[in-house]
């Protein structure tokens, strides 16, 4: 039977969505098959939170399998005296889902939904959710709204929720007070109690959400402009200087469509970097001169301009009632919510209270979230040389929100700040260093001259060279100002790792620096090496690659069982290539007698127990290998790409190994998610 966790709120807009997301994230690291369920959904079927949780954690579950009935159906059944039948139907739907899951997070119904139908049985929603939690066999995580509260009021709300649920027979695992002001600490209630801090970006709707609620037409602005948070509103009714004085960061200006002067002034101020508004809403249905709109689009393509038919007062009234919502199309808001949850909750303690046994299977999502957890636990300082790349900036914001690492971006400070503003990013926790103007430049040049004295490097050349962001970043790592570096989104592999080979160099006893890819398959993680650095290693180097790969596997929680790959298994074949692998295997056994290793061995015998039983029945590695060492770069690179594309595996890497301090290379096609994963990996390596 799947373990069930029922997340229910006490009070409107308490932030149950943030807690439900955080609990799902926590459990996704511990179970392979996580389910989500919502007993009641809106009559329209529109439930952004449920869509987000299903798509993020169990996209294989049909949308219709994760909810019970619509609010209208529930109201009708209660009105007809079929309350018990309603509960029975919801239990039946839950049990159907339970058969496909190891754990299920249930998101309780909302007071806003209950208000829409106040028939007997639904207006007592608190009791209704407690009853369902009991019928489902779930433990409860109760959420209370602490917005604007004092320590006394937060404690009273939390205590009321705890005793109310307990009196109704529910088992309360934890209480979470959300949107709590700074300075208010968790009350002592006898069960784990946590406080999540009020975060403006979570409560703020996006421009797209405002447009949808107003039925507005998008006149100008790209997708990124529509994803900006609306943190404030300003009415454009006065003259230009006075209105601009009142435009705060993230403000949405609402003004009649004939105020071309205000529209142009705001676009110009935004393009100049003087103001950072979220957008403009033009009211009254007054068409704006097309020439003005063309100028605005050229001045500031990432400034959203919306148009509505209604009057300004009506528009303001609607817009100011909106609140941000978690949904699949709001990744920045999702990362913010997870950061808030992880900052406020002792996830280890909560996982123990929820009593969910960790699965022996390791899915890609479980592995990726484990990386984030481990990086957060040992927070390190990392440098990202490509500070002007949009993907790097977005990844840096996510890492700051999640507490993955303390980051330094390299590049012109004004350019980085301007681009971050244009993208609507918050880089408040990120340091920025410009190699061209840094006070460290002379020191780094002198260091490089000393390190490369045997090459006769002149001081003037060194001064020019250390302006290169990859050399500068590598010297930051060498000097201890950073614990590791991640680059390659806009540079070749050679440009990224050459400075590391020259400056940081390999660890003592390591034959050669090399690389691995962490291959995240559907139910396990494998290590492939070397697929990116050494074209044709000799036996000595191949043994070194095997030992480094085994160490890397162990560092990331993968029990190393090493397969030294060849076109021959055991003594079935001969030739120089086979002999090289056999010699390398012998060296590995000599240097690490404790390490399970087999070779030469073919890939099928290494991974498939049935084939292994025929070819090498007594081997402790055959059929169970976790580390695959390829004989050359040609074989390794082609194999990892073949598995990645044909088996749908996630390839994380290349992870550079064997250096004194970690420097990792990104693919130039890396996604933001790839960059976040690599930052987490580098942080773990440096720890």
């Amino acid at each position: 039977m799947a373990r069930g966790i029922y997340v229910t709120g006490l009070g409107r807009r308490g932030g149950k969505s943030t807690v439900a997301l955080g609990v799902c994230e926590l459990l996704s690291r511990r179970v392979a098959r996580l389910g989500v369920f919502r007993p009641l959904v809106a009559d329209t079927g529109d439930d952004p939170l449920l869509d987000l949780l299903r798509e993020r954690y169990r996209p294989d579950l049909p949308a219709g399998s994760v909810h019970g009935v619509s609010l209208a159906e529930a109201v009708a059944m209660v009105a007809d005296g079929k309350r018990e039948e309603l509960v029975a139907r919801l239990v039946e739907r839950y049990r159907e889902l339970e058969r496909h899951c190891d754990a299920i997070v249930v998101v309780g119904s909302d007071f806003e939904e209950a208000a829409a139908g106040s028939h007997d049985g639904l207006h007592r929603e608190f009791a209704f959710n407690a009853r369902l939690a009991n019928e489902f066999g779930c433990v409860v995580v109760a959420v209370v709204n602490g917005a604007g509260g004092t320590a006394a009021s937060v404690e009273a709300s939390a205590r009321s929720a705890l005793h109310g649920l307990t009196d109704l027979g529910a088992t309360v695992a934890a209480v979470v007070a959300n949107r709590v002001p700074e300075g208010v600490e968790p009350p002592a209630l006898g069960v784990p109690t946590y406080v999540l801090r009020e975060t403006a970006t979570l409560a703020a709707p996006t421009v797209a959400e405002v447009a949808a609620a107003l039925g507005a037409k998008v006149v100008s602005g790209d997708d990124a402009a529509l994803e900006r948070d609306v943190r404030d509103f300003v009415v454009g009714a006065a003259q230009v200087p006075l209105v601009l004085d009142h435009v705060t960061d993230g403000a949405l200006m609402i003004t009649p469509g004939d105020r071309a002067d205000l529209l142009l002034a705001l676009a110009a101020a935004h393009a100049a970097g003087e103001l950072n508004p979220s957008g403009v809403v033009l009211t009254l249905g007054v068409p704006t001169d097309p020439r003005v709109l063309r100028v605005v689009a050229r001045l500031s393509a990432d400034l959203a301009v919306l148009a509505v038919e209604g009057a300004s007062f009506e528009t303001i009234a609607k817009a100011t009632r909106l609140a941000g919502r978690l949904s699949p199309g709001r990744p920045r808001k999702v990362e913010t919510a997870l950061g808030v949850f992880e900052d406020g909750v002792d996830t280890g303690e909560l996982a123990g209270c929820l009593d969910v046994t960790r699965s022996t299977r390791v899915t890609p999502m479980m592995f990726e979230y484990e990386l984030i957890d481990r990086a957060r636990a040992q927070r390190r300082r990392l440098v990202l040389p490509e500070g002007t790349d949009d993907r790097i900036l977005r990844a840096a914001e996510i890492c700051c929100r999640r507490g993955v690492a303390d980051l330094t971006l390299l590049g012109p400070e004004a350019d980085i700040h301007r681009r971050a503003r244009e993208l609507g990013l918050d880089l408040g926790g990120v340091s920025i260093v410009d190699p061209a103007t840094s006070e460290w430049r002379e020191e780094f040049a002198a260091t490089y001259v000393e390190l490369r004295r045997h090459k006769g490097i002149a001081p003037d050349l060194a001064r020019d060279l250390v302006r290169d962001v990859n050399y500068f970043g590598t010297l930051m790592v060498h000097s201890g100002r950073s614990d590791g570096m991640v680059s390659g989104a806009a540079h070749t592999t050679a440009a990224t790792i050459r400075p590391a080979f020259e400056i940081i160099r390999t660890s003592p006893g390591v034959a050669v620096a090399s690389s691995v890819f962490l291959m995240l398959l559907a139910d396990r993680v494998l290590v492939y090496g070397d697929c990116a650095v050494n074209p044709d290693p000799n036996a000595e180097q191949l043994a070194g690659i095997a030992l480094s790969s085994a160490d890397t596997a162990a560092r990331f929680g993968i029990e190393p069982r090493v397969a030294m790959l060849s076109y021959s298994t055991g003594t079935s074949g001969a030739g120089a290539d086979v002999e090289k692998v056999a010699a390398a295997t012998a060296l590995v056994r000599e240097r690490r007698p404790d390490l399970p290793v087999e070779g030469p061995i073919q890939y099928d015998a290494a991974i498939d127990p049935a084939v292994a039983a025929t070819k090498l029945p007594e081997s402790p590695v055959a059929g169970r290998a976790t580390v695959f060492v390829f004989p050359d770069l040609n074989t390794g690179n082609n194999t990892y790409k073949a598995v990645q594309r044909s088996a749908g595996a996630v390839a994380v890497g290349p992870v550079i190994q064997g250096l004194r301090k970690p420097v990792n290379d990104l693919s130039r096609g890396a996604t933001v998610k790839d960059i976040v994963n690599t930052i987490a990996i580098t942080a773990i390596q440096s720890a």
Side-chain angles (χ1 to χ4, degrees), residues 63-289:
S65 70
V66 296
H67 65 78
V69 301
S70 71
L71 185 61
E73 289 178 282
V75 169
M77 293 181 73
V78 172
D80 291 342
K82 298 179 179 178
R83 182 180 306 156
E84 293 304 309
E85 185 178 326
L86 168 63
V87 173
R89 182 182 296 184
L90 293 175
V91 171
E92 181 183 1
R93 294 281 290 165
Y94 177 82
R95 296 300 178 205
E96 289 174 2
L97 177 64
E98 190 178 42
R99 290 194 289 271
H100 305 284
C101 303
D102 301 316
I104 299 177
V105 176
V106 183
V107 186
S109 52
D110 289 328
F111 278 84
E112 290 177 303
E113 293 170 356
S118 57
H119 293 76
D120 184 33
L122 284 181
H123 72 283
R124 299 177 62 84
E125 189 164 18
F126 188 67
F128 177 71
N129 281 304
R131 166 81 186 277
L132 289 184
N134 291 336
E135 298 290 356
F136 294 167
C138 294
V139 297
V140 176
V141 175
V143 185
V144 298
N145 189 350
T150 62
S153 66
V154 169
E155 179 176 356
S157 296
R159 196 173 295 279
S160 174
L162 173 62
H163 292 312
L165 287 163
T166 303
D167 290 346
L168 291 165
T171 301
V172 180
V175 178
V176 181
N178 201 4
R179 305 181 63 199
V180 175
E182 289 290 341
V184 176
E185 297 302 319
L189 300 182
V191 299
T193 306
Y194 311 104
V195 297
L196 309 186
R197 300 301 177 192
E198 177 77 82
T199 304
T201 54
L202 274 184
T206 63
V207 176
E209 289 172 323
V210 172
L214 299 178
K217 175 186 176 184
V218 179
V219 177
S220 179
D222 56 19
D223 290 343
L226 295 174
E227 289 309 307
R228 287 175 177 272
D229 291 327
V230 178
R231 303 178 192 173
D232 196 6
F233 295 91
V234 62
V235 180
Q239 295 299 311
V240 168
L242 186 59
V243 170
L244 294 185
D245 282 344
H246 285 78
V247 176
T248 57
D249 278 355
L252 184 72
M253 185 174 73
I254 299 174
T255 190
D258 61 357
R259 290 298 305 270
D261 57 333
L262 281 178
L263 180 58
L264 283 170
L266 191 70
H270 180 239
E274 296 295 321
L275 296 175
N276 188 26
S278 59
V280 181
V281 180
L282 304 175
T283 64
L284 299 175
V286 179
T288 304
D289 191 310

Side-chain angles (χ1 to χ4, degrees), residues 290-620:
R291 293 171 296 181
V292 172
L293 293 177
R294 284 197 297 271
V295 172
V296 169
R298 289 184 178 181
L299 275 173
S300 194
D302 55 353
L303 179 69
V305 180
L306 312 178
V308 298
E309 296 294 327
S312 294
F313 179 80
E314 171 192 343
T315 302
I316 294 164
K318 286 183 180 179
T320 53
R321 288 198 297 267
L322 294 175
R325 304 177 75 183
L326 297 176
S327 66
R330 307 283 179 266
R332 291 181 61 234
K333 209 169 284 292
V334 168
E335 296 297 340
T336 300
L338 290 173
V340 169
F341 181 85
E342 291 163 349
D343 281 343
V345 172
D346 182 337
T347 54
E349 179 186 50
L350 181 58
C353 295
L354 300 181
D355 191 25
V356 178
T357 303
R358 184 179 292 273
S359 171
T360 55
R361 298 176 69 223
V362 180
T363 68
M365 182 174 291
M366 291 168 69
F367 185 78
E368 289 173 348
Y369 296 155
E370 180 72 18
L371 291 179
I372 299 296
D373 262 1
R374 290 184 60 189
R376 282 171 52 85
Q378 304 179 75
R379 192 156 169 166
R380 311 297 284 174
R381 302 165 302 160
L382 303 181
V383 58
L384 309 180
E386 297 155 325
T388 55
D389 187 285
D390 287 1
R391 293 165 296 166
I392 294 292
L393 293 174
R394 294 186 188 280
E397 184 194 47
I398 291 171
C399 289
C400 285
R401 291 180 187 274
R402 300 291 302 277
V404 175
D406 295 319
L407 300 178
T408 298
L409 298 176
L410 300 187
E413 186 171 2
D415 292 351
I416 292 173
H417 280 309
R418 181 173 62 251
R419 188 54 186 158
R421 284 196 304 269
E422 291 169 353
L423 295 172
L425 303 178
D426 179 5
L427 298 180
V430 175
S431 300
I432 299 173
V433 175
D434 185 355
T437 59
S438 172
E439 60 184 12
W440 303 332
R441 187 176 162 197
E442 284 298 321
E443 174 194 333
F444 286 176
T447 298
Y448 187 73
V449 168
E450 182 62 28
L451 289 171
R452 304 294 287 171
R453 184 176 299 280
H454 63 289
K455 293 290 185 179
I457 298 296
D460 287 345
L461 176 60
R463 290 189 191 95
D464 289 338
L465 200 60
V466 300
R467 292 185 60 175
D468 177 272
V469 291
N470 284 313
Y471 274 93
F472 191 93
T474 304
L475 283 157
M476 282 185 63
V477 176
H478 175 77
S479 67
R481 292 179 172 91
S482 180
D483 298 311
M485 183 178 97
V486 175
S487 188
H491 292 88
T492 64
T493 295
T496 300
I497 64 176
R498 183 186 297 113
F501 290 164
E502 293 178 359
I503 297 167
I504 294 176
R505 302 174 183 171
T506 57
S507 299
V510 173
V512 63
S514 58
S515 73
V516 294
F517 279 89
L518 303 176
M519 303 298 293
L520 314 188
L521 276 65
D523 60 351
R524 54 188 156 167
V525 181
L526 304 177
V527 177
Y528 284 8
D530 176 5
C531 303
V533 177
N534 295 285
D536 188 16
N538 59 33
E540 173 78 17
Q541 293 169 330
L542 198 59
I545 291 168
L547 293 171
S548 293
S549 300
D551 289 342
T552 298
R555 180 174 285 126
F556 291 102
I558 303 163
E559 183 181 352
R561 293 186 291 271
V562 182
M564 306 293 286
L565 297 175
S566 173
Y567 60 77
S568 169
T569 294
T571 58
S572 66
D577 291 337
V578 177
E579 290 169 6
K580 178 179 80 169
V581 174
T585 305
L587 288 171
V588 172
R589 286 177 174 148
E590 177 185 329
R591 294 170 186 173
R592 286 282 303 277
D594 60 308
L595 180 65
V597 59
E598 189 65 68
I601 186 171
Q602 292 160 291
Y603 191 97
D604 59 349
I607 199 167
D608 189 327
V611 177
T614 301
K615 294 188 174 183
L616 286 173
E618 303 301 323
S619 171

